[in-house]
């Protein structure tokens, strides 16, 4: 019986000495080392083994919910403005017109819609600035993006484009075009140059954000330029009618919808750690 014990003992010693031998008592779990597949276990296990963080807990901000909220706000503001115009148009009290329509008018500066539009563009500027500081490449393009968003934020409050309306109207007249909003023609060339520069940058973004930002620019320009020109054809400074104001409502809604698309796309590049609330900008689509 002695040789038998020697054989068993020898086998045991050989197995222990083999570095490639894995026993059932120490199973390996490759997914435990993967931050996107955290190890599972009870809270008591975590407490016994020390505090363990789920590094895969970060998730991007939802496009669906952010876009839904922003579009609902734009739609509500546009509807309230239209209702306020209808009430003031039918009412005879001057105080009602001053206190209701003037506050919600989408066609005048220093009103609630213009303030909201300025806030939207400033929010987009903050998001692009975050991307600029977090980006590994194309920081200059993100910086240009930020400056453009800041300009539009200023324009919504200070109505900068109205200052060039006179020269733009003269330029349009020289081309045989009669319009009350000639700034569109004067701003067309600089706008095309900026779009050309930014389009190259946007095309390098992840696919979903790329098409969302392109759609945002298309929707915004359809309102800011398209409906602005259509409204100019029926504009009459001595007769503020529904015929004109419907174009103003469509213009403002499309502008807000375009910026909402832009913000939703940029927010989807921001990841949030659900455990500690850490915000992680991810210009490349996923955190590094």
């Amino acid at each position: 019986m002695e040789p038998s014990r020697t054989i068993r003992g020898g086998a045991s010693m050989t197995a222990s000495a083999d570095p490639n031998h894995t026993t059932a008592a120490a199973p390996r779990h490759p997914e435990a080392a993967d931050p996107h597949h955290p190890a599972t276990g009870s809270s008591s296990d975590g407490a016994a083994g020390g505090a363990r963080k789920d590094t895969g807990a970060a998730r991007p901000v939802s496009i669906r919910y952010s876009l839904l909220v922003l579009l609902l706000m734009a739609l509500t503001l546009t509807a309230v403005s239209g209702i306020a115009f209808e009430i003031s148009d039918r009412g005879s009290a001057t105080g009602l017109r001053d206190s209701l329509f003037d506050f919600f008018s989408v066609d005048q500066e220093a009103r609630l819609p213009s303030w909201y539009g300025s806030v939207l563009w400033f929010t987009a500027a903050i998001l692009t600035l975050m991307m600029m500081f977090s980006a590994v490449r194309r920081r200059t393009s993100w910086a240009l993006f930020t400056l453009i968003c800041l300009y539009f934020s200023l324009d919504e409050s200070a109505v900068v484009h109205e200052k060039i309306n006179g020269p733009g109207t003269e330029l349009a007249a020289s081309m045989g075009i009669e319009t009350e909003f000639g700034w569109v023609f004067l701003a067309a060339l600089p706008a095309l140059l900026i779009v050309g520069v930014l389009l190259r940058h946007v095309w390098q973004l992840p696919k979903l954000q790329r098409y969302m930002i392109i759609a945002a620019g298309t929707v915004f320009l359809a309102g800011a330029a398209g409906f602005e020109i259509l409204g100019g054809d029926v504009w009459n400074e001595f007769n503020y009618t529904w015929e004109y104001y419907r174009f103003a409502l469509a213009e403002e809604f499309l502008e807000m919808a375009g910026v909402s698309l832009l913000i939703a796309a940029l927010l989807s590049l921001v990841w949030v750690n659900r455990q500690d609330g850490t915000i992680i900008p991810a210009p490349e689509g996923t955190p590094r």
Side-chain angles (χ1 to χ4, degrees):
M1 297 299 293
E2 187 66 25
S4 169
R5 285 196 300 272
T6 303
I7 292 174
R8 286 198 296 271
S12 177
M13 292 175 63
T14 304
S16 301
D18 186 1
N20 297 319
H21 179 74
T22 303
T23 63
R28 298 183 64 190
H29 298 283
E31 65 273 17
D34 187 350
H36 296 286
H37 297 83
T40 58
S42 64
S43 58
S44 59
D45 293 339
R52 291 185 300 181
K53 264 194 171 182
D54 180 7
T55 55
R59 295 291 184 271
V61 176
S62 171
I63 290 179
R64 180 187 306 171
Y65 295 121
S66 58
L67 185 58
L68 179 62
V69 170
L70 291 170
L71 288 180
L72 280 177
M73 292 180 68
L75 184 61
T76 301
L77 196 57
T78 305
V80 170
S81 181
I83 294 171
F85 178 84
E86 179 67 19
I87 293 175
S88 64
D89 188 47
R90 293 189 178 188
S92 57
T94 305
L96 178 62
R97 185 181 184 89
D98 291 340
S99 61
L100 187 63
F101 172 63
D102 286 351
F103 183 70
F104 288 106
S105 174
V106 300
D107 198 45
Q108 302 177 52
E109 64 272 14
R111 302 296 186 266
L112 182 61
S114 63
W115 171 83
Y116 180 66
S118 181
V119 170
L120 286 179
W121 278 111
F122 190 74
T123 302
I126 292 175
L127 291 172
T128 53
L129 190 65
M130 290 171 58
M131 298 302 157
M132 183 193 75
F133 284 116
S134 303
V136 177
R137 50 198 177 96
R138 302 194 306 273
R139 286 193 173 187
T140 303
S141 298
W142 281 117
L144 177 60
F145 214 149
T146 301
L147 291 175
I148 292 173
C149 291
L150 286 174
Y151 165 76
F152 278 114
S153 177
L154 174 65
D155 186 69
E156 285 288 344
S157 299
V159 200
V160 178
H161 67 274
E162 293 289 348
K163 307 300 186 294
I164 62 172
N165 194 55
T169 301
E170 295 178 2
L171 176 63
S174 66
M175 300 168 59
I177 301 174
E178 295 294 332
T179 180
E180 293 292 333
F181 303 109
W183 67 266
V184 175
F185 297 92
L186 200 60
L189 182 58
L192 288 175
L193 291 175
I194 293 173
V195 168
V197 172
L198 285 183
L199 188 59
R200 182 180 179 184
H201 167 63
V202 171
W203 204 256
Q204 302 300 319
L205 295 176
K207 187 175 182 180
L208 177 60
Q209 287 77 12
R210 175 199 316 164
Y211 291 123
M212 282 189 67
I213 293 177
I214 292 175
T218 303
V219 171
F220 179 82
L221 288 176
F227 278 91
E228 181 89 339
I229 294 175
L230 292 175
D233 292 336
V234 297
W235 165 253
N236 185 343
E237 60 179 326
F238 302 107
N239 188 15
Y240 210 57
T241 64
W242 258 118
E243 186 181 12
Y244 165 76
Y245 200 67
R246 62 182 180 180
F247 289 113
L249 289 171
E251 174 194 344
E252 187 66 24
F253 174 74
L254 289 177
E255 287 183 8
M256 290 188 290
V259 189
S260 298
L261 275 167
L262 173 62
I263 292 175
L266 293 172
L267 277 175
S268 68
L269 295 175
V270 177
W271 290 55
V272 180
N273 191 306
R274 297 182 179 181
Q275 289 186 340
D276 56 15
T278 303
I279 297 176
I280 313 168
E284 286 77 29
T286 53
R288 294 193 301 273

